[in-house]
């Protein structure tokens, strides 16, 4: 018998796309992201759009917005729940895992570190009650959701926001807008660097149009930054630093206006798009006199100063950008928590590269109190970088083809040096033939001769070598010595070149033995060498990333992004009540797959079908009014408290 609700005239038909995780070492992806970064570097991020938004912020405001450029006022509530999610909008599975937990009426948790399998509602029109797991604590759903930066990957576009961000959140809690009694949760967002790659255009359309719904969440802001007045003397500010770590004058005036509304003893939670305290610490440790990385911290200090000048304190700073959870605490007259929580859906970044303690320029030190994943678990992930060879075959084959192309140029140039010059040839045999006949001994001298007499070879070799150095420079951190990228990049190039010579020589010798024609010999040599070379050159790339990270603290990002690890997600659930602010850091080690939820109680779910990595699948759903979710986890969904909840008392900080 058909479900009568399937004929609901208010039901809507929605197509939900399920993209795979971004392949950061895909050739097309590398070229596209590189071009976006180049355009951003050359012409800037068009950050003046923030001034345009401020100029347009002149219309009437809802009742909960105070002042002409005011804050959003939630202070009348006795208890307020908020969620913080950052670095989302990557692969569907990981983004949906966090969205599904955020969307539920309750998240069930126990003691820190104890995993709790979440109950799954019987159908897409139901929710699990608060007493579904008696031995667990049921945290109610948040009324406010804050996106803390990098809302989509790899670059901002309408398509990526629709498929990688809005789609998963709609599927997690689809209804909102048409029935005021259903949905109605507030949504705020600040942009990260990936949101700025298109000059903030797509971000503005998604998050800066008040009244726009994403499932049950409704956009509130008109600017790329915001201020929330919370109950019991707490505030939450979201700051936009753009990609130049810049604060525009209207934004500064906005927060100055918000600070004027503060009372002595109020407490501020600051949300920033990047953890500038970590780069500041690295700069202090390396004794860098005036690094660009300090610029971001200087801007944040300016914003913090607006509040502290009014007698407010800043007990908590939150950021995404780094795809893990990490917390530091500064003890003193005013305890301050520095929290990085970028586990909303993007690839996992280990915590092995984060310092055990922070050292500030005034000599203050602070210890790391929690890390998710742990340092040991992160090191285990780092040691799996060899998977790059199998995950990114096209990248490895392209690298092999590049190196073999250089060998082809060098070997072709060597034939010219066999001609008589002053009564004797410059070299005795072409490079590859000499390598086969005489071994590697004379190769270096012959190669130097080729470079001396062949300008084309010099240009080609220099171009490829500088490409390796440039790659090493992009992976450098403040902890990397100045000479590190040059040494690492050139050594990497030399090793890859030596491997290419060996592969080409072996392939050439094998095919010559077969007696193939010259043209066929060349084609077969290239095909065979690339076929074998992608494994060799891929393994060398993996070894380079691993060794560079151990030796000079380089390529932390590439080491993990090449693996596209989807587990180890995290988000924050915050409660503000009469006793203070409590932060519940929630982690999810394993991300499940997803299957369509049953339409009604007792109905069987549609089977979950796999699709090739790198491809995307679109599902068409008829979503009835009042639907609570579209997908169910295709396996256990077992979040945990990462650490004991963090408590900040009203008008004072607890020990």
């Amino acid at each position: 018998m058909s479900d009568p609700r399937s004929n609901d005239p208010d039901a809507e038909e929605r197509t939900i796309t399920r993209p795979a995780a971004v392949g950061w070492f895909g050739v097309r992806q590398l070229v596209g992201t590189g071009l976006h970064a180049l355009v951003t570097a050359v012409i800037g991020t068009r950050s003046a759009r923030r001034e345009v938004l401020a100029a347009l912020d002149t219309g009437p405001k809802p009742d909960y917005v105070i002042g002409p450029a005011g804050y959003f006022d939630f202070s009348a509530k006795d208890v307020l729940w908020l969620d913080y999610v950052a670095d989302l909008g990557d692969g569907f599975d990981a983004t949906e895992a966090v969205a599904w937990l955020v969307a539920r009426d309750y998240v069930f948790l126990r003691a820190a570190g104890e995993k709790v399998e979440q109950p799954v509602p019987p159908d897409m029109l139901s929710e699990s009650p608060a007493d579904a797991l008696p031995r667990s604590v049921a945290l109610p759903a948040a009324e406010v959701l804050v996106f803390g930066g990098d809302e989509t990957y790899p670059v901002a576009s309408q398509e990526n926001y629709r498929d990688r961000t809005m789609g998963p959140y709609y599927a997690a809690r689809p209804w909102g807008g048409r029935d005021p009694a259903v949905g109605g949760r507030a949504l705020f967002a600040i942009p990260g660097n990936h949101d700025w790659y298109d000059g903030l255009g797509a971000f503005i359309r998604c998050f800066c149009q008040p009244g726009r719904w994403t499932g049950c969440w409704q956009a509130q802001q008109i600017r790329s930054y915001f201020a929330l007045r919370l109950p019991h003397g707490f505030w939450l500010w979201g700051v936009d630093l753009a990609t130049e770590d810049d604060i525009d004058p209207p934004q500064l005036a906005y927060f100055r206006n918000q600070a004027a509304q503060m009372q002595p003893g109020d407490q501020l939670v600051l949300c920033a798009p990047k953890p500038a305290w970590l780069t500041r610490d690295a700069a202090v440790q390396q004794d860098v006199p005036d690094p660009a990385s300090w610029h971001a911290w200087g801007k944040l200090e300016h914003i913090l100063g607006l509040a502290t000048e009014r007698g407010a304190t800043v007990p908590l700073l939150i950021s995404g950008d780094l795809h893990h959870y990490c917390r530091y605490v500064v003890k003193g007259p005013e305890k301050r928590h520095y929290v990085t929580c970028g586990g909303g859906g993007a690839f996992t970044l280990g915590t092995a590269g984060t310092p055990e303690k922070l050292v500030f320029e005034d000599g203050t030190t602070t210890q790391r109190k929690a890390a998710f994943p742990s340092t040991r678990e992160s090191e285990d992930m780092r040691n799996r970088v060899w998977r790059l060879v199998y995950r990114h075959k096209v990248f490895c084959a392209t690298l092999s083809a590049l190196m073999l192309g250089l060998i082809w140029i060098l070997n072709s140039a060597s034939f010219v040096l066999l001609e008589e010059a002053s009564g004797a040839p410059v070299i005795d045999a072409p490079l590859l033939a000499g390598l086969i006949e005489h071994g590697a001994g004379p190769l270096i001298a012959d190669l130097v001769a080729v470079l001396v007499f062949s300008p084309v070879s010099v240009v080609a070799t220099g171009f490829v070598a500088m490409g390796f150095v440039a790659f090493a420079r992009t992976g450098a951190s403040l902890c990397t010595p100045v000479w590190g990228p040059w040494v690492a990049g050139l050594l990497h190039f030399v090793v890859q070149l030596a491997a290419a010579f060996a592969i080409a020589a072996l392939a050439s010798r094998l095919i010559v033995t077969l007696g193939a024609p010259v043209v066929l010999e060349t084609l077969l040599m290239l095909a065979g060498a690339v076929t074998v070379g992608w494994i060799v050159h891929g393994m060398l790339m993996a070894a380079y990333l691993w060794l560079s990270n151990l030796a000079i603290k380089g390529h932390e990002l590439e080491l993990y992004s090449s693996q596209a690890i989807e587990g180890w997600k995290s988000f924050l659930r915050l409660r503000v009540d009469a006793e203070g602010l409590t932060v519940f850091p929630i982690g999810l080690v394993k991300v499940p797959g997803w299957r369509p939820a049953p339409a009604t109680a007792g109905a069987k779910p549609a089977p979950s079908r796999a699709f090739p990595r790198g491809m995307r699948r679109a599902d068409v759903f008829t979503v009835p009014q009042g639907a609570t979710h579209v997908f169910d986890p295709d396996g256990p969904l077992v979040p945990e408290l990462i650490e004991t909840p963090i408590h900040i008392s009203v008008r004072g900080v607890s020990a």
Side-chain angles (χ1 to χ4, degrees):
M1 180 179 296
S2 63
D3 175 18
R5 283 171 289 192
S6 64
N7 297 319
D8 183 353
D10 291 325
E12 64 176 353
E13 187 174 274
R14 290 293 294 259
T15 299
I16 298 175
T17 302
R18 292 195 263 172
V22 174
W24 289 102
F25 271 58
V27 175
R28 182 178 178 184
Q29 180 59 55
L30 285 172
V31 172
T33 305
L35 288 176
H36 275 89
L38 178 62
V39 170
T40 298
V42 172
I43 67 174
T45 61
R46 292 155 282 177
S47 58
R49 290 192 177 183
R50 295 181 297 188
E51 283 90 330
V52 174
L53 286 175
L56 294 174
D57 189 7
T58 57
K61 304 290 190 303
D63 293 339
Y64 53 80
V65 179
I66 307 300
Y71 52 82
F72 297 84
D73 192 3
F74 298 94
S75 62
K77 295 179 176 292
D78 186 56
V79 179
L80 180 68
W81 290 84
L82 305 92
D83 280 336
Y84 175 89
V85 181
D87 300 278
L88 57 152
D90 197 326
F92 180 87
D93 287 354
T95 301
E96 179 69 4
V98 174
W100 200 89
L101 291 172
V102 166
R104 301 283 59 78
D105 282 357
Y106 299 96
V107 173
F108 298 89
L109 299 170
R110 297 193 182 109
E114 186 175 353
K115 296 178 174 59
V116 181
E117 183 172 349
Q118 302 297 292
V120 178
D123 58 61
M124 68 186 303
L125 295 163
S126 303
E127 271 290 338
S128 300
D131 58 355
L133 295 179
R135 293 195 309 107
S136 301
V137 175
L139 302 186
E143 302 169 62
V144 178
L145 172 60
V146 175
F147 284 157
D150 285 345
E151 275 75 62
T152 196
Y153 289 89
V155 295
S157 70
Q158 283 297 297
E159 179 184 15
N160 282 335
Y161 277 118
R162 181 194 67 214
D163 294 344
R164 296 182 179 274
T165 307
M166 304 306 184
Y169 275 80
Y170 174 88
R173 194 80 182 196
W175 204 264
R178 288 166 293 177
D179 183 354
V182 180
R185 305 180 190 179
L187 174 62
F188 298 89
I190 56 174
N193 61 302
H194 288 269
D195 301 296
W196 268 104
Y197 278 155
D198 74 333
L200 214 62
F203 177 93
I204 291 171
R205 285 190 285 271
C206 291
F207 303 110
C208 299
Q209 295 185 12
R212 177 168 180 168
W213 290 87
T214 298
C216 72
W217 294 275
Q218 189 178 37
Q220 308 292 317
Q221 66 204 75
I222 196 172
R223 304 190 185 189
S224 58
Y225 43 89
F226 58 85
L228 311 181
R229 185 174 185 177
L230 309 179
H232 308 293
F234 286 93
W235 293 72
L236 188 148
W237 290 359
V239 181
D240 174 18
L241 296 179
T243 56
E244 299 100 339
D245 296 329
D246 173 60
I247 295 181
D248 52 301
Q251 182 176 186
L252 188 59
Y254 175 86
F255 285 115
R256 186 176 290 115
N257 183 37
Q258 311 320 312
Q261 315 301 318
M262 286 183 160
Q263 301 298 319
D266 282 358
Q267 298 184 82
L268 172 64
V269 177
L270 186 71
C271 296
K274 62 172 64 174
W277 49 90
L278 290 177
T279 52
R280 179 183 69 163
D281 167 73
V284 171
Q285 297 279 20
Q286 297 299 312
D287 195 24
V288 181
D290 188 22
S293 60
W294 281 30
H295 193 54
W297 179 251
K299 295 298 183 181
L300 289 185
E301 278 193 318
H302 195 169
I303 294 294
L304 295 177
L306 298 176
T308 55
E309 287 172 2
R310 299 286 300 180
T313 59
V314 187
L316 177 61
L317 279 79
I318 307 174
S319 175
D321 193 52
L322 302 181
H323 306 166
H324 55 231
Y325 174 85
C326 194
R327 181 173 69 93
Y328 295 86
V329 179
V330 175
K331 292 186 177 181
E334 295 179 1
K335 182 189 292 185
R336 178 177 291 179
H337 302 266
Y338 293 90
V339 174
T340 305
C341 185
F347 68 88
T348 300
L349 180 68
T351 58
T354 59
E356 288 292 333
K357 65 179 181 179
L358 300 181
V359 180
F360 297 154
E361 60 267 30
D362 61 359
T364 304
T365 62
T366 176
Q367 293 296 125
R368 189 177 67 188
K369 294 297 183 180
F372 180 84
S374 68
T375 301
R376 176 69 177 274
E377 291 159 337
S378 300
E379 290 172 347
D380 289 342
M381 295 179 200
R382 179 174 61 192
N383 295 338
R384 298 190 204 107
V385 69
W386 314 103
R387 295 178 181 180
L388 176 151
V389 179
Y390 301 101
R391 287 191 58 87
H392 302 289
K393 299 181 184 67
V394 175
F395 169 80
C396 296
T398 302
L399 176 61
S400 179
L402 173 68
M403 298 309 301
L404 290 167
L406 179 59
I407 297 300
W408 195 349
I409 292 173
L410 294 172
N411 191 59
S412 298
S414 68
F415 279 94
V416 178
L417 304 188
L418 294 174
E419 298 178 359
E420 295 288 329
S422 303
V426 177
I427 60 177
D428 296 326
L431 291 179
L432 288 179
L435 181 60
I436 294 171
E437 295 175 9
H438 307 297
L443 178 63
I444 296 178
D446 290 349
L447 181 58
V448 170
V450 169
L451 294 176
V452 169
F453 285 92
S454 174
V456 173
S457 299
V458 172
V459 172
T461 304
F463 181 80
V464 175
M466 288 302 100
F468 278 86
V469 172
F471 177 66
R473 287 174 63 85
T474 61
S477 67
L478 281 175
C479 297
T480 303
V482 176
W483 50 265
W486 287 92
V487 173
L490 291 175
L491 283 176
H492 185 202
F493 167 70
V494 170
V495 172
Q496 293 280 10
L497 185 66
F501 263 115
I503 293 170
L506 290 173
S508 178
R509 181 166 190 170
L510 177 62
I511 294 174
V512 169
T513 302
L514 298 176
V518 176
V519 175
L520 183 59
E521 173 191 342
T522 302
L523 293 176
L524 289 175
M525 184 184 75
L526 288 175
V530 170
T531 302
V532 176
W534 72 268
I535 298 177
V536 175
H537 291 287
M539 291 294 286
L540 289 175
M541 172 61 76
Y544 162 73
L545 293 175
W546 188 77
L547 289 170
S548 174
N549 186 255
L550 287 179
I552 59 174
K553 306 296 183 184
H555 294 292
E556 186 82 11
L557 196 64
E558 292 81 3
L559 193 71
Y560 292 97
S561 66
S562 64
Q563 302 180 59
I565 302 168
E566 290 194 287
W568 303 96
K569 303 300 98 179
S570 57
F571 69 98
L572 306 178
R573 179 153 291 181
L574 296 83
R575 181 185 67 207
V576 183
D577 58 22
E579 295 182 357
L581 169 66
T582 305
V583 182
F584 299 86
I586 301 173
L588 182 66
V589 174
K590 186 177 180 180
V591 169
W594 298 92
R595 63 173 185 267
T600 57
K604 293 182 179 180
S608 177
R609 297 193 300 271
F611 56 100
R613 189 174 62 84
M615 303 291 288
R616 56 182 63 203
R617 169 184 170 181
D619 299 288
V620 180
F621 295 90
T622 299
V623 183
Q625 184 176 13
T628 59
H629 62 293
V630 173
F631 289 101
D632 283 342
D634 192 12
L637 189 66
V638 285
E640 62 184 277
L641 265 177
I642 296 174
E643 60 172 327
T644 303
I646 306 155
H647 183 71
I648 300 167
S649 298
V650 170
R651 301 195 182 279
V653 181
S654 65

